[in-house]
Amino acid sequence: MKNCDCVKRFQEYLQIKTVHPHPDYAKAVQYLKQIGESIPLKCEVFTITSGNLLLIMTLEGTEPSLPSILLNSHMDVVPVYEEKWKYDPFSGHIDEKGDIYGRGSQDMKNVGMQYLEAILHLKRQGKTFKRTIHLSFVPDEEMGGKLGMAKFIETDSFKKLNVGVCLDEGIATEDDVYRIYYAERNVWWIKLTCKGNPGHASKFIENTAAEKMKFLLDKFLDIRESEKARMKWNPSLTMGDLMTVNLTELSVLNSFSIKFYHDC
């Protein structure tokens, strides 16, 4: 396994530090573009905003007027606490069991490399396709995509791709089965601001922001517990059947602000 070219390419991709808050997109794009051009695929690099690069690779179909297929992945990864890792999170280390360690090995440099390796394999077999296939490697996904794909889809360059269907990331698996999810739950971000009366800590202040926050937190967390109970008592349910609720941000200024991630 360690001597496999596809594994080496994956390791090298993991070794590029596209980690927030200072992801090295230039190095990642240069590396991926080199692989794409060697297949060969047409490669285009777009500067979305300063420092945020987006790479499109294209395998043209025999009927390019048909709506195309887009295989999307993001290059950026979330920060790491290196002291909590068994191996260097940017080493791409392979242990004796064949497990590969690296930030992005599941989210989602693995998928991006799977796309590339699949296209490379099909090209070597001489396969052709009616529809054009595009591979997109995008920045800023872990930060919400506002400086990446969100801006790119508004451009003429994106519209010219004529995308009919897009495959993106899903849930990582621990076996050899690659699962495709045909639908996503809707995301609902809810931000609540609680204002109340201030006062000295020696008194029982009425109508405080904290009391209001507790009331709202209890309501949302009750929903969370009821959905967890549904899964416990009905094993046939999957995550796609449930509504997840998570508190993602809590801040205190002159008032309490709370933000929930509501996935249904």
Side-chain angles (χ1 to χ4, degrees):
M1 178 179 176
K2 291 184 179 181
N3 296 322
C4 175
D5 288 341
C6 61
V7 173
K8 288 181 179 178
R9 285 189 285 268
F10 181 40
Q11 288 177 285
E12 289 168 352
Y13 190 22
L14 291 173
Q15 289 163 5
I16 300 173
K17 292 188 176 182
T18 52
V19 59
H20 287 286
H22 304 295
D24 191 349
Y25 293 128
K27 189 172 182 179
V29 166
Q30 180 184 24
Y31 177 73
L32 294 167
K33 186 170 179 283
Q34 180 182 354
I35 297 174
E37 290 176 340
S38 70
I39 290 178
L41 299 174
K42 177 185 175 183
C43 296
E44 292 183 274
V45 179
F46 300 89
T47 301
I48 307 303
T49 56
S50 179
N52 287 300
L53 305 179
L54 186 149
L55 173 63
I56 298 291
M57 301 183 188
T58 300
L59 175 63
E60 188 167 309
T62 58
E63 298 183 27
S65 62
L66 292 174
S68 67
I69 298 170
L70 177 64
L71 306 177
N72 182 65
S73 67
H74 61 84
M75 298 178 287
D76 56 323
V77 300
V78 295
V80 299
Y81 296 97
E82 294 195 26
E83 67 277 7
K84 297 185 180 295
W85 282 67
K86 186 176 181 180
Y87 302 104
D88 181 347
F90 300 103
S91 65
H93 177 83
I94 302 179
D95 68 10
E96 62 280 357
K97 296 187 296 182
D99 293 335
I100 301 175
Y101 290 77
R103 176 60 94 210
S105 58
Q106 291 191 353
D107 184 13
M108 67 173 297
K109 290 184 175 182
N110 58 330
V111 177
M113 290 307 294
Q114 286 173 24
Y115 292 153
L116 266 177
E117 296 298 338
I119 295 296
L120 173 60
H121 182 69
L122 292 168
K123 284 280 287 183
R124 285 176 175 173
Q125 291 182 325
K127 301 289 186 181
T128 58
F129 304 91
K130 285 185 178 181
R131 297 178 187 271
T132 294
I133 300 173
H134 302 289
L135 287 74
S136 55
F137 295 86
V138 304
D140 197 55
E141 191 274 349
E142 296 292 1
M143 302 301 290
K146 292 181 180 179
L147 302 179
M149 184 58 92
K151 285 187 176 294
F152 184 60
I153 60 175
E154 300 297 329
T155 66
D156 289 337
S157 296
F158 175 79
K159 294 169 185 175
K160 289 177 182 177
L161 298 181
N162 190 26
V163 176
V165 64
C166 174
L167 295 182
D168 204 336
E169 64 182 307
I171 299 175
T173 60
E174 297 182 359
D175 52 31
D176 293 332
V177 177
Y178 185 77
R179 294 175 174 84
I180 297 178
Y181 299 84
Y182 62 86
E184 289 283 355
R185 294 180 293 171
N186 291 323
V187 177
W188 187 13
W189 290 92
I190 303 173
K191 182 177 181 179
L192 303 170
T193 300
C194 302
K195 298 181 179 180
N197 293 328
H200 196 276
S202 63
K203 298 180 180 181
F204 288 112
I205 309 301
E206 298 296 332
N207 195 32
T208 63
E211 291 172 299
K212 296 175 182 179
M213 182 194 70
K214 180 181 181 301
F215 175 82
L216 292 169
L217 280 174
D218 287 343
K219 294 295 184 182
F220 278 107
L221 295 178
D222 284 347
I223 296 173
R224 174 189 170 95
E225 290 305 311
S226 67
E227 291 296 293
K228 288 172 65 177
R230 286 180 62 208
M231 174 173 278
K232 179 179 179 181
W233 298 115
N234 187 349
S236 66
L237 294 178
T238 67
M239 291 302 294
D241 300 311
L242 302 171
M243 177 173 60
T244 56
V245 180
N246 291 285
L247 174 64
T248 60
E249 186 178 320
L250 176 64
S251 60
V252 181
L253 295 171
N254 294 325
S255 60
F256 281 98
S257 292
I258 56 178
K259 184 181 289 186
F260 276 93
Y261 177 90
H262 187 192
D263 201 350
C264 54

